[in-house]
Amino acid sequence: MQSAPEWCRVSLIECPDYLDQVATWHHRECLRQGLQSSQQTRRDRLLQHLMGPGSVPQTWIALERTNAELIGCVSVVSYHLGGRPGTPQTDTPLWLSSLFVTPQWRCRGVASDLIEGVRHFARELGMTSLWLTATDQSEFYRRQGWQLVRRAKLGGRWVNVMSCELDTH
């Protein structure tokens, strides 16, 4: 029998008090990737993730069970909605975005669990695939079932554009 994980995955909608910390992580990651960012811009964009449980964009967080410490996050976005929250059409791609796990919690299944939450959400919306861009973590995503589709230049850097098919049962 497998024991329950040491963390739980919840929607940021349910725990908006963590919004500022998630915004900080998003901001740092943008800067690390050489993209323009500001803390306020990240916070303003994350506010769009709080519009409703069936809406995109959406963010989930991982919390350590004992003390509710924030240990990770992941988002899903649709570039076809023009930055506005809403329900995407099933023929437009959803993108997994901003996956982050604190260093001390890496290699313990947190990222895989967050990805699975996004997969579940996308299936519930009727999506048949998910997309992402990756730089230094492409091998991790490949082990998670993602396929390299193409290389592209984004923000002046080469990235791998990857997708994964979603089982619909």
Side-chain angles (χ1 to χ4, degrees), residues 78-115:
S78 171
Y79 298 112
H80 288 82
L81 291 174
R84 295 177 317 276
T87 304
Q89 300 296 316
T90 56
D91 62 346
T92 61
L94 281 184
W95 294 78
L96 185 135
S97 177
S98 305
L99 177 63
F100 178 80
V101 175
T102 59
Q104 63 270 31
W105 281 88
R106 292 179 186 163
C107 300
R108 295 169 72 175
V110 177
S112 298
D113 183 63
L114 288 166
I115 291 169

PDB file of all heavy atoms in Angstrom, residues 78-115:
ATOM      1  N   SER A  78      -3.961  29.910 -22.139  1.00  0.00           N
ATOM      2  CA  SER A  78      -4.357  29.823 -23.544  1.00  0.00           C
ATOM      3  C   SER A  78      -4.024  31.158 -24.186  1.00  0.00           C
ATOM      4  O   SER A  78      -4.563  32.183 -23.791  1.00  0.00           O
ATOM      5  CB  SER A  78      -5.853  29.547 -23.677  1.00  0.00           C
ATOM      6  OG  SER A  78      -6.249  29.662 -25.029  1.00  0.00           O
ATOM      7  N   TYR A  79      -3.142  31.129 -25.159  1.00  0.00           N
ATOM      8  CA  TYR A  79      -2.757  32.376 -25.821  1.00  0.00           C
ATOM      9  C   TYR A  79      -3.840  32.853 -26.775  1.00  0.00           C
ATOM     10  O   TYR A  79      -3.822  33.995 -27.200  1.00  0.00           O
ATOM     11  CB  TYR A  79      -1.420  32.191 -26.539  1.00  0.00           C
ATOM     12  CG  TYR A  79      -0.318  31.859 -25.561  1.00  0.00           C
ATOM     13  CD1 TYR A  79       0.287  30.614 -25.553  1.00  0.00           C
ATOM     14  CD2 TYR A  79       0.085  32.790 -24.604  1.00  0.00           C
ATOM     15  CE1 TYR A  79       1.278  30.306 -24.633  1.00  0.00           C
ATOM     16  CE2 TYR A  79       1.075  32.489 -23.677  1.00  0.00           C
ATOM     17  CZ  TYR A  79       1.665  31.237 -23.703  1.00  0.00           C
ATOM     18  OH  TYR A  79       2.635  30.932 -22.789  1.00  0.00           O
ATOM     19  N   HIS A  80      -4.834  32.030 -27.054  1.00  0.00           N
ATOM     20  CA  HIS A  80      -5.921  32.412 -27.954  1.00  0.00           C
ATOM     21  C   HIS A  80      -7.005  33.252 -27.270  1.00  0.00           C
ATOM     22  O   HIS A  80      -7.842  33.829 -27.931  1.00  0.00           O
ATOM     23  CB  HIS A  80      -6.556  31.170 -28.589  1.00  0.00           C
ATOM     24  CG  HIS A  80      -5.676  30.543 -29.612  1.00  0.00           C
ATOM     25  ND1 HIS A  80      -4.649  29.687 -29.290  1.00  0.00           N
ATOM     26  CD2 HIS A  80      -5.664  30.661 -30.955  1.00  0.00           C
ATOM     27  CE1 HIS A  80      -4.035  29.303 -30.390  1.00  0.00           C
ATOM     28  NE2 HIS A  80      -4.629  29.877 -31.415  1.00  0.00           N
ATOM     29  N   LEU A  81      -6.977  33.310 -25.952  1.00  0.00           N
ATOM     30  CA  LEU A  81      -7.973  34.107 -25.232  1.00  0.00           C
ATOM     31  C   LEU A  81      -7.542  35.569 -25.113  1.00  0.00           C
ATOM     32  O   LEU A  81      -8.257  36.377 -24.533  1.00  0.00           O
ATOM     33  CB  LEU A  81      -8.229  33.523 -23.839  1.00  0.00           C
ATOM     34  CG  LEU A  81      -8.962  32.178 -23.807  1.00  0.00           C
ATOM     35  CD1 LEU A  81      -9.009  31.639 -22.382  1.00  0.00           C
ATOM     36  CD2 LEU A  81     -10.363  32.310 -24.376  1.00  0.00           C
ATOM     37  N   GLY A  82      -6.384  35.902 -25.634  1.00  0.00           N
ATOM     38  CA  GLY A  82      -5.929  37.290 -25.624  1.00  0.00           C
ATOM     39  C   GLY A  82      -5.700  37.850 -24.236  1.00  0.00           C
ATOM     40  O   GLY A  82      -5.900  39.033 -23.996  1.00  0.00           O
ATOM     41  N   GLY A  83      -5.274  37.010 -23.299  1.00  0.00           N
ATOM     42  CA  GLY A  83      -4.999  37.488 -21.952  1.00  0.00           C
ATOM     43  C   GLY A  83      -6.222  37.618 -21.067  1.00  0.00           C
ATOM     44  O   GLY A  83      -6.117  37.952 -19.905  1.00  0.00           O
ATOM     45  N   ARG A  84      -7.404  37.371 -21.634  1.00  0.00           N
ATOM     46  CA  ARG A  84      -8.629  37.454 -20.840  1.00  0.00           C
ATOM     47  C   ARG A  84      -8.981  36.064 -20.307  1.00  0.00           C
ATOM     48  O   ARG A  84      -8.828  35.072 -21.017  1.00  0.00           O
ATOM     49  CB  ARG A  84      -9.784  37.964 -21.700  1.00  0.00           C
ATOM     50  CG  ARG A  84      -9.616  39.390 -22.185  1.00  0.00           C
ATOM     51  CD  ARG A  84     -10.761  39.820 -23.094  1.00  0.00           C
ATOM     52  NE  ARG A  84     -11.170  38.819 -24.064  1.00  0.00           N
ATOM     53  CZ  ARG A  84     -10.600  38.615 -25.259  1.00  0.00           C
ATOM     54  NH1 ARG A  84      -9.569  39.350 -25.625  1.00  0.00           N
ATOM     55  NH2 ARG A  84     -11.053  37.697 -26.083  1.00  0.00           N
ATOM     56  N   PRO A  85      -9.490  35.973 -19.089  1.00  0.00           N
ATOM     57  CA  PRO A  85      -9.918  34.675 -18.583  1.00  0.00           C
ATOM     58  C   PRO A  85     -11.142  34.182 -19.341  1.00  0.00           C
ATOM     59  O   PRO A  85     -11.961  34.975 -19.801  1.00  0.00           O
ATOM     60  CB  PRO A  85     -10.271  34.943 -17.123  1.00  0.00           C
ATOM     61  CG  PRO A  85      -9.925  36.356 -16.846  1.00  0.00           C
ATOM     62  CD  PRO A  85      -9.632  37.041 -18.125  1.00  0.00           C
ATOM     63  N   GLY A  86     -11.251  32.887 -19.470  1.00  0.00           N
ATOM     64  CA  GLY A  86     -12.402  32.307 -20.134  1.00  0.00           C
ATOM     65  C   GLY A  86     -12.230  30.817 -20.330  1.00  0.00           C
ATOM     66  O   GLY A  86     -11.277  30.216 -19.839  1.00  0.00           O
ATOM     67  N   THR A  87     -13.148  30.242 -21.064  1.00  0.00           N
ATOM     68  CA  THR A  87     -13.079  28.828 -21.390  1.00  0.00           C
ATOM     69  C   THR A  87     -12.618  28.704 -22.828  1.00  0.00           C
ATOM     70  O   THR A  87     -13.287  29.192 -23.743  1.00  0.00           O
ATOM     71  CB  THR A  87     -14.461  28.154 -21.222  1.00  0.00           C
ATOM     72  OG1 THR A  87     -14.907  28.385 -19.878  1.00  0.00           O
ATOM     73  CG2 THR A  87     -14.372  26.664 -21.489  1.00  0.00           C
ATOM     74  N   PRO A  88     -11.462  28.077 -23.046  1.00  0.00           N
ATOM     75  CA  PRO A  88     -10.940  27.979 -24.407  1.00  0.00           C
ATOM     76  C   PRO A  88     -11.728  26.986 -25.246  1.00  0.00           C
ATOM     77  O   PRO A  88     -12.350  26.070 -24.725  1.00  0.00           O
ATOM     78  CB  PRO A  88      -9.503  27.499 -24.193  1.00  0.00           C
ATOM     79  CG  PRO A  88      -9.541  26.781 -22.894  1.00  0.00           C
ATOM     80  CD  PRO A  88     -10.593  27.460 -22.061  1.00  0.00           C
ATOM     81  N   GLN A  89     -11.688  27.181 -26.548  1.00  0.00           N
ATOM     82  CA  GLN A  89     -12.264  26.225 -27.480  1.00  0.00           C
ATOM     83  C   GLN A  89     -11.377  24.984 -27.496  1.00  0.00           C
ATOM     84  O   GLN A  89     -10.159  25.082 -27.338  1.00  0.00           O
ATOM     85  CB  GLN A  89     -12.346  26.827 -28.891  1.00  0.00           C
ATOM     86  CG  GLN A  89     -13.192  28.079 -28.975  1.00  0.00           C
ATOM     87  CD  GLN A  89     -14.652  27.785 -28.651  1.00  0.00           C
ATOM     88  OE1 GLN A  89     -15.214  26.803 -29.112  1.00  0.00           O
ATOM     89  NE2 GLN A  89     -15.251  28.630 -27.833  1.00  0.00           N
ATOM     90  N   THR A  90     -11.967  23.827 -27.715  1.00  0.00           N
ATOM     91  CA  THR A  90     -11.182  22.596 -27.679  1.00  0.00           C
ATOM     92  C   THR A  90     -10.217  22.478 -28.856  1.00  0.00           C
ATOM     93  O   THR A  90      -9.299  21.671 -28.810  1.00  0.00           O
ATOM     94  CB  THR A  90     -12.102  21.358 -27.645  1.00  0.00           C
ATOM     95  OG1 THR A  90     -12.983  21.400 -28.767  1.00  0.00           O
ATOM     96  CG2 THR A  90     -12.894  21.306 -26.358  1.00  0.00           C
ATOM     97  N   ASP A  91     -10.393  23.296 -29.897  1.00  0.00           N
ATOM     98  CA  ASP A  91      -9.465  23.233 -31.031  1.00  0.00           C
ATOM     99  C   ASP A  91      -8.313  24.228 -30.904  1.00  0.00           C
ATOM    100  O   ASP A  91      -7.530  24.388 -31.831  1.00  0.00           O
ATOM    101  CB  ASP A  91     -10.212  23.440 -32.348  1.00  0.00           C
ATOM    102  CG  ASP A  91     -10.890  24.809 -32.440  1.00  0.00           C
ATOM    103  OD1 ASP A  91     -11.006  25.491 -31.406  1.00  0.00           O
ATOM    104  OD2 ASP A  91     -11.301  25.183 -33.549  1.00  0.00           O
ATOM    105  N   THR A  92      -8.196  24.918 -29.769  1.00  0.00           N
ATOM    106  CA  THR A  92      -7.067  25.819 -29.532  1.00  0.00           C
ATOM    107  C   THR A  92      -6.200  25.223 -28.424  1.00  0.00           C
ATOM    108  O   THR A  92      -6.722  24.659 -27.464  1.00  0.00           O
ATOM    109  CB  THR A  92      -7.533  27.228 -29.131  1.00  0.00           C
ATOM    110  OG1 THR A  92      -8.277  27.146 -27.910  1.00  0.00           O
ATOM    111  CG2 THR A  92      -8.391  27.855 -30.210  1.00  0.00           C
ATOM    112  N   PRO A  93      -4.899  25.333 -28.542  1.00  0.00           N
ATOM    113  CA  PRO A  93      -4.027  24.670 -27.565  1.00  0.00           C
ATOM    114  C   PRO A  93      -4.023  25.329 -26.198  1.00  0.00           C
ATOM    115  O   PRO A  93      -4.157  26.535 -26.079  1.00  0.00           O
ATOM    116  CB  PRO A  93      -2.648  24.741 -28.213  1.00  0.00           C
ATOM    117  CG  PRO A  93      -2.729  25.835 -29.207  1.00  0.00           C
ATOM    118  CD  PRO A  93      -4.158  25.973 -29.620  1.00  0.00           C
ATOM    119  N   LEU A  94      -3.868  24.482 -25.198  1.00  0.00           N
ATOM    120  CA  LEU A  94      -3.588  24.933 -23.837  1.00  0.00           C
ATOM    121  C   LEU A  94      -2.109  24.693 -23.582  1.00  0.00           C
ATOM    122  O   LEU A  94      -1.543  23.696 -24.032  1.00  0.00           O
ATOM    123  CB  LEU A  94      -4.397  24.139 -22.812  1.00  0.00           C
ATOM    124  CG  LEU A  94      -5.852  24.498 -22.619  1.00  0.00           C
ATOM    125  CD1 LEU A  94      -6.452  23.671 -21.494  1.00  0.00           C
ATOM    126  CD2 LEU A  94      -6.037  25.972 -22.351  1.00  0.00           C
ATOM    127  N   TRP A  95      -1.506  25.610 -22.835  1.00  0.00           N
ATOM    128  CA  TRP A  95      -0.075  25.546 -22.569  1.00  0.00           C
ATOM    129  C   TRP A  95       0.193  25.391 -21.083  1.00  0.00           C
ATOM    130  O   TRP A  95      -0.286  26.200 -20.281  1.00  0.00           O
ATOM    131  CB  TRP A  95       0.604  26.815 -23.078  1.00  0.00           C
ATOM    132  CG  TRP A  95       0.552  26.930 -24.562  1.00  0.00           C
ATOM    133  CD1 TRP A  95      -0.516  27.317 -25.319  1.00  0.00           C
ATOM    134  CD2 TRP A  95       1.599  26.637 -25.477  1.00  0.00           C
ATOM    135  NE1 TRP A  95      -0.194  27.282 -26.647  1.00  0.00           N
ATOM    136  CE2 TRP A  95       1.107  26.875 -26.774  1.00  0.00           C
ATOM    137  CE3 TRP A  95       2.921  26.204 -25.328  1.00  0.00           C
ATOM    138  CZ2 TRP A  95       1.887  26.688 -27.912  1.00  0.00           C
ATOM    139  CZ3 TRP A  95       3.691  26.024 -26.451  1.00  0.00           C
ATOM    140  CH2 TRP A  95       3.170  26.259 -27.731  1.00  0.00           C
ATOM    141  N   LEU A  96       0.947  24.369 -20.716  1.00  0.00           N
ATOM    142  CA  LEU A  96       1.448  24.232 -19.360  1.00  0.00           C
ATOM    143  C   LEU A  96       2.533  25.289 -19.194  1.00  0.00           C
ATOM    144  O   LEU A  96       3.377  25.459 -20.070  1.00  0.00           O
ATOM    145  CB  LEU A  96       2.030  22.829 -19.156  1.00  0.00           C
ATOM    146  CG  LEU A  96       2.477  22.528 -17.734  1.00  0.00           C
ATOM    147  CD1 LEU A  96       1.993  21.153 -17.321  1.00  0.00           C
ATOM    148  CD2 LEU A  96       3.977  22.631 -17.595  1.00  0.00           C
ATOM    149  N   SER A  97       2.512  25.997 -18.072  1.00  0.00           N
ATOM    150  CA  SER A  97       3.412  27.127 -17.898  1.00  0.00           C
ATOM    151  C   SER A  97       3.841  27.243 -16.441  1.00  0.00           C
ATOM    152  O   SER A  97       3.108  26.849 -15.532  1.00  0.00           O
ATOM    153  CB  SER A  97       2.667  28.406 -18.334  1.00  0.00           C
ATOM    154  OG  SER A  97       3.437  29.545 -18.129  1.00  0.00           O
ATOM    155  N   SER A  98       5.008  27.804 -16.246  1.00  0.00           N
ATOM    156  CA  SER A  98       5.462  28.240 -14.917  1.00  0.00           C
ATOM    157  C   SER A  98       5.513  27.125 -13.881  1.00  0.00           C
ATOM    158  O   SER A  98       5.165  27.328 -12.720  1.00  0.00           O
ATOM    159  CB  SER A  98       4.585  29.394 -14.404  1.00  0.00           C
ATOM    160  OG  SER A  98       4.557  30.440 -15.330  1.00  0.00           O
ATOM    161  N   LEU A  99       5.960  25.950 -14.292  1.00  0.00           N
ATOM    162  CA  LEU A  99       6.157  24.868 -13.327  1.00  0.00           C
ATOM    163  C   LEU A  99       7.375  25.193 -12.482  1.00  0.00           C
ATOM    164  O   LEU A  99       8.460  25.470 -13.002  1.00  0.00           O
ATOM    165  CB  LEU A  99       6.363  23.536 -14.061  1.00  0.00           C
ATOM    166  CG  LEU A  99       6.648  22.321 -13.181  1.00  0.00           C
ATOM    167  CD1 LEU A  99       5.462  22.023 -12.265  1.00  0.00           C
ATOM    168  CD2 LEU A  99       6.971  21.113 -14.053  1.00  0.00           C
ATOM    169  N   PHE A 100       7.198  25.184 -11.181  1.00  0.00           N
ATOM    170  CA  PHE A 100       8.297  25.473 -10.264  1.00  0.00           C
ATOM    171  C   PHE A 100       8.106  24.650  -8.998  1.00  0.00           C
ATOM    172  O   PHE A 100       6.999  24.559  -8.468  1.00  0.00           O
ATOM    173  CB  PHE A 100       8.346  26.963  -9.898  1.00  0.00           C
ATOM    174  CG  PHE A 100       9.442  27.284  -8.921  1.00  0.00           C
ATOM    175  CD1 PHE A 100      10.745  27.433  -9.355  1.00  0.00           C
ATOM    176  CD2 PHE A 100       9.170  27.412  -7.572  1.00  0.00           C
ATOM    177  CE1 PHE A 100      11.771  27.706  -8.453  1.00  0.00           C
ATOM    178  CE2 PHE A 100      10.174  27.695  -6.659  1.00  0.00           C
ATOM    179  CZ  PHE A 100      11.487  27.842  -7.102  1.00  0.00           C
ATOM    180  N   VAL A 101       9.208  24.059  -8.522  1.00  0.00           N
ATOM    181  CA  VAL A 101       9.228  23.350  -7.242  1.00  0.00           C
ATOM    182  C   VAL A 101      10.463  23.835  -6.489  1.00  0.00           C
ATOM    183  O   VAL A 101      11.551  23.951  -7.077  1.00  0.00           O
ATOM    184  CB  VAL A 101       9.281  21.817  -7.446  1.00  0.00           C
ATOM    185  CG1 VAL A 101       9.424  21.089  -6.112  1.00  0.00           C
ATOM    186  CG2 VAL A 101       8.038  21.330  -8.181  1.00  0.00           C
ATOM    187  N   THR A 102      10.315  24.131  -5.213  1.00  0.00           N
ATOM    188  CA  THR A 102      11.455  24.603  -4.423  1.00  0.00           C
ATOM    189  C   THR A 102      12.547  23.535  -4.421  1.00  0.00           C
ATOM    190  O   THR A 102      12.250  22.336  -4.460  1.00  0.00           O
ATOM    191  CB  THR A 102      11.039  24.948  -2.980  1.00  0.00           C
ATOM    192  OG1 THR A 102      10.478  23.791  -2.367  1.00  0.00           O
ATOM    193  CG2 THR A 102      10.044  26.097  -2.941  1.00  0.00           C
ATOM    194  N   PRO A 103      13.808  23.958  -4.392  1.00  0.00           N
ATOM    195  CA  PRO A 103      14.919  23.007  -4.513  1.00  0.00           C
ATOM    196  C   PRO A 103      14.861  21.833  -3.535  1.00  0.00           C
ATOM    197  O   PRO A 103      15.125  20.693  -3.913  1.00  0.00           O
ATOM    198  CB  PRO A 103      16.164  23.876  -4.283  1.00  0.00           C
ATOM    199  CG  PRO A 103      15.745  25.232  -4.759  1.00  0.00           C
ATOM    200  CD  PRO A 103      14.291  25.355  -4.380  1.00  0.00           C
ATOM    201  N   GLN A 104      14.488  22.083  -2.296  1.00  0.00           N
ATOM    202  CA  GLN A 104      14.487  20.989  -1.311  1.00  0.00           C
ATOM    203  C   GLN A 104      13.379  19.957  -1.553  1.00  0.00           C
ATOM    204  O   GLN A 104      13.408  18.879  -0.976  1.00  0.00           O
ATOM    205  CB  GLN A 104      14.436  21.536   0.121  1.00  0.00           C
ATOM    206  CG  GLN A 104      13.198  22.317   0.470  1.00  0.00           C
ATOM    207  CD  GLN A 104      13.320  23.809   0.178  1.00  0.00           C
ATOM    208  OE1 GLN A 104      14.022  24.233  -0.742  1.00  0.00           O
ATOM    209  NE2 GLN A 104      12.610  24.626   0.942  1.00  0.00           N
ATOM    210  N   TRP A 105      12.408  20.266  -2.419  1.00  0.00           N
ATOM    211  CA  TRP A 105      11.314  19.338  -2.716  1.00  0.00           C
ATOM    212  C   TRP A 105      11.437  18.702  -4.097  1.00  0.00           C
ATOM    213  O   TRP A 105      10.564  17.937  -4.507  1.00  0.00           O
ATOM    214  CB  TRP A 105       9.972  20.053  -2.572  1.00  0.00           C
ATOM    215  CG  TRP A 105       9.582  20.166  -1.130  1.00  0.00           C
ATOM    216  CD1 TRP A 105       9.908  21.166  -0.259  1.00  0.00           C
ATOM    217  CD2 TRP A 105       8.823  19.225  -0.379  1.00  0.00           C
ATOM    218  NE1 TRP A 105       9.397  20.910   0.981  1.00  0.00           N
ATOM    219  CE2 TRP A 105       8.712  19.715   0.934  1.00  0.00           C
ATOM    220  CE3 TRP A 105       8.212  18.012  -0.686  1.00  0.00           C
ATOM    221  CZ2 TRP A 105       8.031  19.044   1.937  1.00  0.00           C
ATOM    222  CZ3 TRP A 105       7.522  17.340   0.312  1.00  0.00           C
ATOM    223  CH2 TRP A 105       7.443  17.852   1.608  1.00  0.00           C
ATOM    224  N   ARG A 106      12.480  19.006  -4.822  1.00  0.00           N
ATOM    225  CA  ARG A 106      12.652  18.434  -6.163  1.00  0.00           C
ATOM    226  C   ARG A 106      12.994  16.951  -6.079  1.00  0.00           C
ATOM    227  O   ARG A 106      13.509  16.474  -5.073  1.00  0.00           O
ATOM    228  CB  ARG A 106      13.723  19.210  -6.925  1.00  0.00           C
ATOM    229  CG  ARG A 106      13.236  20.616  -7.242  1.00  0.00           C
ATOM    230  CD  ARG A 106      14.254  21.452  -7.972  1.00  0.00           C
ATOM    231  NE  ARG A 106      13.715  22.812  -8.088  1.00  0.00           N
ATOM    232  CZ  ARG A 106      14.432  23.870  -8.364  1.00  0.00           C
ATOM    233  NH1 ARG A 106      15.728  23.748  -8.594  1.00  0.00           N
ATOM    234  NH2 ARG A 106      13.867  25.044  -8.432  1.00  0.00           N
ATOM    235  N   CYS A 107      12.686  16.235  -7.133  1.00  0.00           N
ATOM    236  CA  CYS A 107      12.960  14.786  -7.248  1.00  0.00           C
ATOM    237  C   CYS A 107      12.167  13.971  -6.226  1.00  0.00           C
ATOM    238  O   CYS A 107      12.580  12.897  -5.811  1.00  0.00           O
ATOM    239  CB  CYS A 107      14.451  14.494  -7.123  1.00  0.00           C
ATOM    240  SG  CYS A 107      15.448  15.313  -8.382  1.00  0.00           S
ATOM    241  N   ARG A 108      10.998  14.476  -5.827  1.00  0.00           N
ATOM    242  CA  ARG A 108      10.150  13.766  -4.865  1.00  0.00           C
ATOM    243  C   ARG A 108       8.734  13.563  -5.406  1.00  0.00           C
ATOM    244  O   ARG A 108       7.846  13.165  -4.671  1.00  0.00           O
ATOM    245  CB  ARG A 108      10.117  14.544  -3.545  1.00  0.00           C
ATOM    246  CG  ARG A 108      11.501  14.566  -2.887  1.00  0.00           C
ATOM    247  CD  ARG A 108      11.615  15.520  -1.747  1.00  0.00           C
ATOM    248  NE  ARG A 108      10.901  15.077  -0.567  1.00  0.00           N
ATOM    249  CZ  ARG A 108      10.922  15.707   0.593  1.00  0.00           C
ATOM    250  NH1 ARG A 108      11.644  16.807   0.731  1.00  0.00           N
ATOM    251  NH2 ARG A 108      10.235  15.261   1.609  1.00  0.00           N
ATOM    252  N   GLY A 109       8.512  13.890  -6.678  1.00  0.00           N
ATOM    253  CA  GLY A 109       7.212  13.663  -7.290  1.00  0.00           C
ATOM    254  C   GLY A 109       6.283  14.860  -7.305  1.00  0.00           C
ATOM    255  O   GLY A 109       5.177  14.772  -7.833  1.00  0.00           O
ATOM    256  N   VAL A 110       6.702  15.978  -6.748  1.00  0.00           N
ATOM    257  CA  VAL A 110       5.843  17.165  -6.677  1.00  0.00           C
ATOM    258  C   VAL A 110       5.540  17.679  -8.085  1.00  0.00           C
ATOM    259  O   VAL A 110       4.377  17.932  -8.432  1.00  0.00           O
ATOM    260  CB  VAL A 110       6.466  18.274  -5.805  1.00  0.00           C
ATOM    261  CG1 VAL A 110       5.595  19.529  -5.810  1.00  0.00           C
ATOM    262  CG2 VAL A 110       6.682  17.784  -4.378  1.00  0.00           C
ATOM    263  N   ALA A 111       6.564  17.845  -8.906  1.00  0.00           N
ATOM    264  CA  ALA A 111       6.359  18.358 -10.272  1.00  0.00           C
ATOM    265  C   ALA A 111       5.465  17.422 -11.075  1.00  0.00           C
ATOM    266  O   ALA A 111       4.559  17.877 -11.777  1.00  0.00           O
ATOM    267  CB  ALA A 111       7.700  18.557 -10.980  1.00  0.00           C
ATOM    268  N   SER A 112       5.688  16.128 -10.958  1.00  0.00           N
ATOM    269  CA  SER A 112       4.850  15.157 -11.684  1.00  0.00           C
ATOM    270  C   SER A 112       3.393  15.266 -11.255  1.00  0.00           C
ATOM    271  O   SER A 112       2.476  15.194 -12.084  1.00  0.00           O
ATOM    272  CB  SER A 112       5.358  13.734 -11.445  1.00  0.00           C
ATOM    273  OG  SER A 112       6.670  13.591 -11.939  1.00  0.00           O
ATOM    274  N   ASP A 113       3.168  15.458  -9.962  1.00  0.00           N
ATOM    275  CA  ASP A 113       1.809  15.596  -9.453  1.00  0.00           C
ATOM    276  C   ASP A 113       1.158  16.885  -9.966  1.00  0.00           C
ATOM    277  O   ASP A 113      -0.021  16.879 -10.354  1.00  0.00           O
ATOM    278  CB  ASP A 113       1.834  15.592  -7.920  1.00  0.00           C
ATOM    279  CG  ASP A 113       0.446  15.651  -7.323  1.00  0.00           C
ATOM    280  OD1 ASP A 113      -0.347  14.717  -7.548  1.00  0.00           O
ATOM    281  OD2 ASP A 113       0.142  16.649  -6.639  1.00  0.00           O
ATOM    282  N   LEU A 114       1.906  17.969  -9.990  1.00  0.00           N
ATOM    283  CA  LEU A 114       1.367  19.226 -10.513  1.00  0.00           C
ATOM    284  C   LEU A 114       1.017  19.087 -11.998  1.00  0.00           C
ATOM    285  O   LEU A 114      -0.046  19.533 -12.434  1.00  0.00           O
ATOM    286  CB  LEU A 114       2.360  20.368 -10.292  1.00  0.00           C
ATOM    287  CG  LEU A 114       2.505  20.842  -8.843  1.00  0.00           C
ATOM    288  CD1 LEU A 114       3.739  21.727  -8.686  1.00  0.00           C
ATOM    289  CD2 LEU A 114       1.251  21.570  -8.379  1.00  0.00           C
ATOM    290  N   ILE A 115       1.883  18.442 -12.766  1.00  0.00           N
ATOM    291  CA  ILE A 115       1.603  18.210 -14.186  1.00  0.00           C
ATOM    292  C   ILE A 115       0.355  17.356 -14.349  1.00  0.00           C
ATOM    293  O   ILE A 115      -0.489  17.630 -15.203  1.00  0.00           O
ATOM    294  CB  ILE A 115       2.815  17.560 -14.881  1.00  0.00           C
ATOM    295  CG1 ILE A 115       3.974  18.555 -14.968  1.00  0.00           C
ATOM    296  CG2 ILE A 115       2.441  17.055 -16.273  1.00  0.00           C
ATOM    297  CD1 ILE A 115       5.295  17.931 -15.400  1.00  0.00           C
TER     298      ILE A 115
END
